[in-house]
Each structure stands twice: as C-alpha cells, then as structure tokens.
C-alpha cells in the first residue's frame, strides 16, 4: 500500500457494503435468521397479531407476566401486556434498575386501512366496506391488489372474537377496484395524492344476493348472514370492532441472488423482530434489559397503547418499586435504541436524498442521530456523547453500520418514538434498517441489514 493510500485508510471515514466481505458462515447465519423473520411477518400483520406471536415466542423462553410486589432475581424474565396491542419484555439485571436500564423500542403497527365504525353497504348489487386509512400511505398503491381482513369484534357481553380472513391459500381475499385506463381521462388529471381519494378506498367484499326476492340490499344481507354464521355477529357489532385491511401477500425473497426481502409491514417489524429475538436471547444482563413493541407509532404514538403514554414510565416504575429504588433515577440513567427504519437510497429516486448522508442497502444497520423536518423540527437529536457510546459499542462488536438522514433537508421529514422516550430523560437514538418503498403495501429490505439490526439489539441489551 502506498503512503497516501495508507494515510487515507487511516484518516477517511468510508462506509462499506457489508456483503463484499461477508464470509460463508455469516451468510449462513443471515439466511437462517431471515427465514424465521419471513414467518414472523406472515404471522404478525397487525399489532394485535404481533403481540400474540411475540408472547407465544417469549413464553417458550421462560417469560412470565409481571406481578406487582413479587421479588425478582437476576436473569428473571417478565412481560407487561398493554391491552394486547403493546408489549414490553424485561430481563432483570445484576444491578438495580436505578443504575439504568438498556431499552430497545420498536413499533408493531403499520400503515393500513381501518374499517369505519359503520362500514358495510351495498351499491348496484355489490357489497363493500368503507375504510379510513391509518398512517401515511400513498392511497393509489392500495387499489387493485389482494387484501385480507384482520382484527376483532368486541361484543357487549365482554367476549372478543378474532377475525383473520384472506391469508390462507384457500381463503377468499378482498380488493379495492380502480378505474380502467380507457375511461380514466378525468382521473388522470388528478394529482398523485388524489389518484384514489380517501372516500374511494372502498373494499369489495361480495356480489351474491341472499335469494330471489323483491327485498332490497340482498347482497349486504347475504354478507351479514355469512358473518353471522361464522362469528355470531350482526351489523351493530361493527360499532365495537377493530378491523384492519392489509395486503394479502406473503413475505418473499427479492432478487435473483435472494439478497433481499419483500413484504408488507416491514416498517417496523424489521426492527421489532430483531428487538424481540435479541431479548429472548439475553441471559443475566449487567443492567436490566427491556424491549418494547409499541402500537400507534404511525399516527403519532398517541393513545394509551402508544409510546407518548406513560406505559414505559410505569414499566420501569413497577420494576424499580419491586427493588425499592427510585423510578426517576432509573429513567435518568437509562439508555435506549429507538429501533425504527430509515429511507434507503433508491436508485430511481436518488434526488430526494443527500448521498453523503443517506443510508444504503447492504451497508448495515443505520444509526439516525436525528429525524424531524425542516430545521430539525420534531426530533430529539441524540447528544454527541451518546452517539459516541453507540459507535463504540457497534465497532467493538464488529457490527456493520452506517449513518442516515431521512432525505434532503427540505425534502420532507418524519419522526419516531425517540422523542417521547427522550422526554423521560432517557438517552435515546434511532437505530434500524434501511427500507426501499417505505410505507408501501410491499416494502423491501436487505437480509444483511436485518441481521446486523438483530446483532445491534443483542449487543445493546446483553
Ligand atoms: Mn417506523
Ligand atoms: Mn412508518
């Protein structure tokens, strides 16, 4: 190596494509891990399904529901289930929690279409559902793709009926119809945002009239009859339901080299799954390890299952009280990785990113010091000292990582749960996986980056 080359090596910061130097052992680990990840994506398309799947996995690893007042010892594994939509897992550390906890926080809700409270109607002898979209979507992407229905009916007697239709191969699916191009002259003049309007996101669910009769709305009647026979519900029961329309496709490999994964809801299950699998592996950590899988991030973390609530504060408070230590001191000494995705540099749409600071596919887990919009509005902006701590941890563990900004300064912006956790006095930074087509019904990630995210989560909590 020439002197100049050596000096450059020593002084320059040069992120590298991790696949260039990945050996067969690492590639094997990545392949095995991502097969399980794809299964998780198929089993957990909604926040409720993600909590259920995560709890099933955790119970097999010895996690039990936290009991207030019980004495917990080093290595004990507990969970806090918040209404079946947000869950926190904790492994009790050697040190009392007022020395701080190591927290990872990912979200398990994804952009989708919720059924309205009064969704079912018939129009020209077809039955449809009215929807209200949840989170940031490009509405036109949801037309003319196969859809499935997930969620619950909560009945007046207190029982809850689970619904999942359209995931198995032999089950029917649903669709939002779009206009044929031949007759789309007027529609084509609309802006992209209005290509399909919110009130046009109507889901086709049936066409077969109940039977030959003069009564009206026989297709709707037939649908209600099918639902009544299957679930025992009537139309009024939609009023106390949470039903979500999501894409019906399964997770799959992308690319001839199978290096990537395509699936619905990878924002943010691509970080939730690594956080979950990491805490399931943690044994006797020095500091108490906590992994939170949260609801409502896509609509601003609002509500009692979102992270703007006091849920995390109460989780830490409950553990602190069991150890007779101060919950406030515990929060002040805690560290957090807000595990969320960033936008990967897109070969076709490079203009929206600033290349020196954009995350790239296969360059490893992405550390995002700040999110926000315009003049960093709405970000917690991690302190330099904390960034240094995370840098050191990742480098020491040999984890491939990069930094990222969410697009060019004036291109737009976004936020994560980091700001709400920072409000509690916890040190927090975003760390996650670069995603192509983020928030689309079918998002793309690189297997290498998914695995590096898992390794980072484990390193942080172990
Ligand atoms: Mn996200
Ligand atoms: Mn998102």
């Amino acid at each position: 190596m020439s002197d100049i080359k050596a000096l450059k090596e020593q002084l320059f910061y040069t992120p590298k494509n991790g696949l260039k130097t990945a050996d067969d052992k690492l590639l094997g680990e990545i392949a095995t891990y991502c097969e399980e990840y794809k299964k998780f994506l198929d089993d957990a398309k909604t926040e409720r399904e993600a909590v259920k799947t995560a709890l099933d996995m955790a119970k097999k690893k010895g996690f039990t529901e936290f009991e207030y007042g019980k004495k917990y010892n080093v290595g004990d594994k507990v969970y806090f289930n918040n209404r079946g939509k947000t869950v926190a897992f904790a492994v009790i550390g050697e040190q009392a929690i007022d020395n701080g906890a190591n927290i990872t926080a990912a979200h398990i809700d994804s952009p989708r279409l919720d059924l309205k409270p009064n969704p079912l109607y018939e129009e020209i002898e077809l039955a449809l559902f009215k929807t209200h979209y949840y989170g940031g979507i490009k509405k036109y992407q949801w037309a003319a793709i196969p859809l499935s229905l997930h969620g619950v009916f909560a009945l007046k007697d207190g029982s809850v009926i689970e619904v999942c239709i359209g995931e198995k191969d032999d089950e029917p699916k649903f669709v939002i119809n779009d206009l044929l191009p031949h007759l789309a002259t007027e529609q084509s003049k609309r802006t992209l945002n209005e290509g399909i309007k919110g009130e046009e996101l109507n889901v086709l669910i049936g066409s077969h009239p109940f039977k030959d009769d003069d009564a009206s709305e026989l297709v709707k009647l037939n649908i209600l009859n099918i639902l009544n026979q299957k679930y025992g519900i009537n139309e009024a029961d939609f009023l106390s339901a949470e039903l979500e329309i999501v894409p019906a496709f399964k997770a799959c490999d992308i690319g001839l080299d199978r290096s990537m994964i395509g699936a619905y809801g990878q924002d943010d299950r691509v970080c939730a799954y690594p956080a979950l699998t990491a805490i399931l592996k943690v044994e006797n950590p020095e500091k108490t390890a906590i992994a939170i899988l949260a609801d409502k991030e896509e609509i601003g973390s609002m509500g009692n299952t979102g992270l703007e609530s006091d849920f995390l504060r109460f989780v830490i408070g409950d553990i602190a009280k069991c150890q007779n230590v101060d919950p406030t001191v515990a929060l002040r000494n805690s560290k957090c990785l807000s595990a969320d995705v960033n936008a990967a540099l897109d070969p076709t749409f490079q203009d929206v990113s600033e290349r020196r600071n954009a995350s790239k596919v296969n360059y490893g887990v992405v550390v995002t010091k700040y999110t926000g919009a315009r003049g960093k509005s709405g970000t917690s902006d991690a302190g330099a000292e904390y960034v240094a701590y995370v840098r050191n941890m990742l480098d020491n563990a040999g984890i491939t990582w990069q930094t990222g900004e969410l697009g060019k300064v004036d291109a737009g912006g976004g936020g994560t749960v980091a700001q709400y956790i920072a409000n509690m006095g916890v040190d927090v930074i975003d760390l996650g996986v670069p995603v192509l087509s983020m928030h689309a019904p079918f998002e793309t990630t690189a297997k290498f980056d998914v695995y590096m995210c898992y390794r980072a989560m484990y390193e942080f909590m172990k």
Side-chain angles (χ1 to χ4, degrees):
M1 206 185 289
S2 72
D3 288 353
I4 289 174
K5 244 184 155 181
L7 193 61
K8 277 179 81 176
E9 188 93 335
Q10 188 195 336
L11 297 181
F12 279 22
Y13 166 62
T14 318
K16 292 189 178 74
N17 184 319
L19 279 183
K20 281 186 181 168
T21 50
D23 59 19
D24 286 349
K25 181 174 169 285
L26 176 59
L27 292 173
E29 287 170 16
I30 291 170
T32 307
Y33 185 80
C34 287
E35 284 309 302
E36 295 301 314
Y37 169 52
K38 284 189 284 180
K39 277 186 212 144
F40 178 82
L41 287 168
D42 291 342
D43 291 342
K45 286 196 173 179
T46 67
E47 60 284 354
R48 285 178 191 266
E49 290 171 0
V51 167
K52 215 176 158 195
T53 308
L55 281 174
D56 285 348
M57 291 164 67
K59 285 174 188 170
K60 281 182 197 148
K61 296 278 181 182
F63 281 78
T64 57
E65 183 150 32
F66 179 81
E67 287 174 52
Y68 186 72
K70 192 175 159 182
K71 169 109 177 67
Y72 286 101
N73 300 312
V74 181
D76 281 350
K77 300 170 177 186
V78 293
Y79 66 84
F80 301 71
N81 181 352
N82 183 357
R83 295 169 172 80
K85 297 198 273 188
T86 286
V87 64
F89 299 99
V91 182
I92 306 299
E94 285 167 17
Q95 299 174 7
I97 199 166
D98 58 346
N99 281 311
N102 290 329
I103 307 159
T104 57
H107 67 93
I108 46 177
D109 61 319
S110 295
R112 61 174 191 254
L113 310 176
D114 287 342
L115 294 200
K116 292 193 183 193
N118 192 15
L120 179 59
Y121 70 104
E122 177 173 335
E123 191 76 42
I124 58 159
E125 293 167 79
L126 296 171
L128 300 108
F129 278 145
K130 292 296 295 180
T131 66
H132 196 136
Y133 64 93
Y134 171 101
I137 63 165
K138 292 164 99 175
K139 296 184 278 283
Y140 71 89
Q141 293 178 333
W142 289 74
I145 60 170
L147 301 167
S148 58
L149 177 70
H150 298 240
V152 296
F153 286 102
L155 303 184
K156 288 198 283 184
D157 66 5
S159 62
V160 175
I161 298 166
E162 288 178 15
V163 175
C164 181
I165 308 172
E167 292 299 334
K168 298 198 182 98
D169 288 343
D170 62 345
E171 283 180 337
K173 298 180 183 15
F174 311 97
V175 71
I176 292 165
N177 292 110
D178 195 0
L179 206 46
L180 62 167
H182 316 63
L183 297 180
T185 310
E186 284 304 312
Q187 186 197 30
S188 303
K189 292 175 191 161
R190 297 180 184 181
T191 60
L192 193 62
N193 184 38
E194 296 228 305
I196 298 277
K197 297 177 187 178
E199 293 296 350
E200 292 169 344
L201 291 168
N202 302 320
V203 183
L204 184 62
I205 57 164
S207 70
H208 195 133
F210 188 63
K211 61 188 164 197
D212 191 17
D213 195 301
D214 288 339
S216 62
E217 299 189 289
L218 291 174
V219 179
K220 172 176 165 178
L221 178 64
N222 194 47
I223 290 292
L224 276 172
N225 193 47
I226 291 168
L227 289 171
N228 181 262
Q229 283 176 2
K230 195 169 164 70
Y231 301 115
I233 60 112
N234 59 35
E235 191 177 13
D237 292 325
F238 279 104
L239 299 173
S240 54
E242 277 184 325
L243 294 164
E244 308 174 4
I245 297 283
V246 301
F249 13 83
K250 303 259 179 243
C252 64
D253 288 346
I254 295 286
L256 285 169
D257 53 14
R258 294 183 173 265
S259 59
M260 295 165 284
I261 293 172
Y264 163 69
Q266 295 203 73
D267 175 9
D268 185 32
R269 279 161 219 147
V270 74
C271 300
Y273 184 73
L276 171 65
T277 47
I279 195 144
L280 297 191
K281 214 184 125 189
V282 169
E283 303 281 352
N284 304 321
E286 196 178 315
K287 296 192 175 188
T288 295
I290 299 175
I292 291 201
L293 310 183
D295 184 26
K296 295 282 184 281
E297 193 276 343
E298 294 295 356
I299 57 168
S301 296
M302 318 299 289
N304 59 7
T305 55
L307 277 191
E308 208 186 354
S309 76
D310 283 329
F311 176 63
L312 173 59
R313 193 190 298 276
F314 292 159
V315 164
I316 291 189
D318 283 351
I319 296 172
K321 281 183 230 161
C322 283
Q323 298 178 343
N324 294 316
V325 299
D326 190 331
T328 312
V329 179
L331 280 167
R332 196 185 300 138
N333 287 330
S334 288
K335 292 183 172 66
C336 178
L337 294 181
S338 162
D340 210 340
V341 300
N342 201 331
L345 185 64
D346 187 313
T348 309
F349 300 104
Q350 297 184 45
D351 278 0
V352 300
S353 299
E354 189 269 286
R355 296 187 60 142
R356 285 178 187 84
N357 287 283
S359 61
K360 290 168 79 178
V361 162
N362 285 326
Y363 276 61
V365 69
V366 52
V367 174
T368 305
K369 185 177 183 293
Y370 51 84
T371 57
R374 303 175 304 279
K376 294 194 177 181
S377 181
T379 178
S380 49
D381 201 355
E385 295 85 348
Y386 187 50
V387 184
Y389 171 86
V390 173
R391 263 181 77 191
N392 187 49
M393 174 195 83
L394 295 169
D395 283 343
N396 285 344
I399 295 166
T400 306
W401 67 281
Q402 57 184 323
T403 55
E405 260 196 331
L406 187 61
K408 278 182 179 165
V409 175
D410 286 329
T416 66
V417 301
Q419 55 190 308
Y420 307 113
I421 295 168
N423 286 347
M424 297 178 198
V426 175
D427 266 323
V428 57
I429 192 166
D430 282 298
L431 182 145
V433 175
V435 178
L436 291 164
S437 304
M438 191 201 294
H439 280 214
F442 194 74
E443 302 171 307
T444 305
T445 58
K447 291 180 178 178
F448 178 83
D449 301 332
V450 177
Y451 191 65
M452 287 300 143
C453 184
Y454 161 69
R455 286 202 54 207
M457 295 293 140
Y458 178 70
E459 198 61 32
F460 184 74
M461 293 190 291
K462 76 172 192 201

